[in-house]
Amino acid sequence: MSILIDKSMCVGCGKCMDVCPGNLIKRNSEGKAYICHPGDCWGCASCVKTCGMDAICLYLGPDMGGLGATLTVEIKGPIREWKVKDVKGQETTIRVDQRKSNQY
Ligand code: SF4
Ligand code: SF4
């Protein structure tokens, strides 16, 4: 599992770099974020949730959604909408209410 960063959407704010527990995200010479060791990413999704520009998605392996599927999250107050998009572009939304997270 790793992440994909859309450099055209990245504004170089550095928030993803601050939250990555593995210190895997760096800035390139243009000030845009990139992942330096994709194989070390364990898919915690902290960077995905933190990026306010929706520039980062998780790239899912064949065990989760099929090769080439991606995962993004939209934060609406206490609601997290996780969106899985498969290789054909079909999207599935998983809605999680953080206020009820202790009930899961
Ligand atoms: S949080 Fe998003 S916009 Fe900010 S540096 Fe990371 S990828 Fe770029
Ligand atoms: S998913 Fe987690 S481990 Fe992977 S790059 Fe993002 S913050 Fe780092």
Side-chain angles (χ1 to χ4, degrees), residues 15-61:
K15 289 179 184 171
C16 56
M17 303 163 205
D18 292 341
V19 298
C20 178
N23 199 23
L24 302 174
I25 307 175
K26 307 289 183 192
R27 243 189 219 97
N28 68 13
S29 57
E30 298 170 326
K32 308 276 187 177
Y34 74 97
I35 181 162
C36 54
H37 300 294
D40 289 343
C41 168
W42 58 89
C44 72
S46 296
C47 58
V48 180
K49 288 187 283 188
T50 300
C51 179
M53 302 306 292
D54 291 336
I56 309 177
C57 67
L58 269 181
Y59 182 81
L60 303 176

Side-chain angles (χ1 to χ4, degrees), residues 45 48-49 54 56-60 64-65 68-76 79-86 89-96:
V48 180
K49 288 187 283 188
D54 291 336
I56 309 177
C57 67
L58 269 181
Y59 182 81
L60 303 176
M64 288 186 64
T70 58
L71 177 70
T72 55
V73 62
E74 198 169 325
I75 297 173
K76 299 175 177 174
I79 306 296
R80 304 286 183 272
E81 285 187 354
W82 295 90
K83 296 176 192 294
V84 180
K85 191 186 280 187
D86 70 18
Q90 188 170 337
E91 203 168 80
T92 303
T93 300
I94 302 160
R95 211 163 175 271
V96 177

